[in-house]
Amino acid sequence: MSDTVTAEMINQLDSNLELNLDRRAKERLLLYINLLLQGLRKQRLTGERSAQGLIDKHLYDSLYPLKLINLKQDGKILDLGSGGGFPGLPLKICLPRLEMYLADANRRKTMFLQNTSGQLSLDKIYFINDRAENIGRDPEHREQYDYVTCRAVAETAVLAELSLPLLKTGGQAILYKGPRGEAEAAAAEKAIKSCGGYLEKTYDYKLAGGEKRFLFIIKKFESTPSQYPRAVGKPGKKPIRGAAIPEEN
Ligand code: SAH
């Protein structure tokens, strides 16, 4: 039996999240998840392989922040480590005016994203097949984005070093985190501060199945020092550590 997503399932998701998506967005979400299911038969694009699982875990999680934050509709946004497309592709589908950059180090995943977005007839969507450490040092991308999203790529301290260099001053990193998020945030204080940011807001919510999630909004308030991000592999192997120096009372 072939596992597919139905229009019904997308309508249900839309009403669960109270997003009020238009017909076009719902059609595109439907086609995207079905293309992902097809792609999964050929390559590992996500750990989840069932239609309902992709909707309840990945799509629901990707879109939940739309209930919490007001993204600038025509903002410039980079999804770091997009993999099979979460959360960048669903966000782009729901906010079609966004200028979306999907970045991933894996070539086959980038090719999947490129083909898929062609089939979805999306415009203002671009693909970067490179490591975040290189992208963050490239003047074409450094300090260019209003938002960087990141889901299931690395721990928060590492993500701070990879995402903050890409943001304009005033921009925000939107980090999707699992149940360990809270402990990670404390361990990332120094990394966030060193790269010119602060933890502006933390949200917690639950997936359809009850699994706990955190969303961290890290705001960039000053330019990132030029030594960050460090060379490929360094941020992950040796994250910037330690709590930020406490303010004097
Ligand atoms: N965001 C997706 C994929 C998570 S898997 C989701 O939520 O399902 C992590 C992805 O990040 C992989 O596709 C991997 O290739 C990519 N990745 C890991 N480290 C990276 C780096 N330093 N630069 C660019 N991509 C990276």
Side-chain angles (χ1 to χ4, degrees):
M1 197 185 80
S2 72
D3 195 14
T4 54
V5 174
T6 60
E8 206 64 35
M9 288 155 86
I10 299 291
N11 284 335
Q12 190 62 51
L13 172 89
D14 182 44
S15 74
N16 289 348
L17 284 171
E18 299 170 333
L19 290 176
N20 262 322
L21 296 171
D22 63 20
R23 192 172 55 86
R24 188 92 176 101
K26 287 193 274 192
E27 283 170 1
R28 280 177 162 147
L29 289 175
L30 176 67
L31 181 56
Y32 164 49
I33 300 296
N34 281 327
L35 290 169
L36 187 58
L37 281 163
Q38 273 176 34
L40 278 165
R41 293 186 201 125
K42 287 176 243 142
Q43 61 175 307
R44 193 190 146 86
L45 295 159
T46 63
E48 178 60 52
R49 306 186 75 88
S50 76
Q52 194 64 56
L54 285 172
I55 293 194
D56 290 346
K57 289 196 191 138
H58 296 266
L59 205 49
Y60 187 95
D61 192 26
S62 294
L63 296 177
Y64 199 96
L66 295 179
K67 288 164 67 75
L68 304 173
I69 49 181
N70 246 334
L71 291 181
K72 229 183 348 175
Q73 301 272 328
D74 57 352
K76 185 167 168 170
I77 174 166
L78 184 143
D79 185 31
L80 193 60
S82 201
F86 299 113
L89 257 181
L91 290 175
K92 169 69 187 171
I93 288 172
C94 296
L95 299 174
R97 285 171 54 209
L98 283 178
E99 192 179 333
M100 175 64 76
Y101 290 72
L102 301 180
D104 203 287
N106 182 298
R107 204 171 138 263
R108 291 187 68 199
K109 287 181 177 170
T110 308
M111 280 168 61
F112 168 81
L113 295 171
Q114 215 158 352
N115 286 334
T116 300
S117 91
Q119 294 193 62
L120 295 171
S121 316
L122 292 169
D123 60 3
K124 288 207 286 179
I125 183 160
Y126 310 92
F127 308 89
I128 310 171
N129 176 216
D130 204 348
R131 300 267 313 192
E133 295 90 327
N134 297 327
I135 305 169
R137 291 186 162 275
D138 181 344
E140 203 185 311
H141 298 289
R142 189 179 176 90
E143 312 218 303
Q144 297 297 313
Y145 296 89
D146 298 299
Y147 308 105
V148 172
T149 50
C150 208
R151 178 175 181 266
V153 174
E155 66 164 288
T156 306
V158 178
L159 295 182
E161 181 173 354
L162 298 179
S163 63
L164 280 158
L166 293 161
L167 290 169
K168 299 173 184 169
T169 296
Q172 291 162 315
I174 301 167
L175 308 184
Y176 291 68
K177 285 281 147 196
R180 286 195 310 269
E182 229 160 11
E184 277 188 22
E189 246 181 88
K190 184 171 177 200
I192 295 171
K193 191 149 195 243
S194 305
C195 295
Y198 67 94
L199 182 59
E200 183 180 29
K201 188 119 187 135
T202 303
Y203 297 97
D204 60 280
Y205 57 97
K206 286 194 174 129
L207 296 186
E211 196 184 327
K212 197 158 183 187
R213 295 279 152 171
F214 288 96
L215 194 74
F216 296 145
I217 311 295
I218 297 174
K219 180 128 178 159
K220 177 155 167 174
F221 68 94
E222 64 183 5
S223 194
T224 304
S226 60
Q227 76 257 37
Y228 300 119
R230 290 168 290 160
V232 168
K234 273 258 172 78
K237 272 190 212 113
K238 221 175 171 305
I240 304 167
R241 277 288 177 233
I245 301 153
E247 309 255 325
E248 279 182 44
N249 311 312

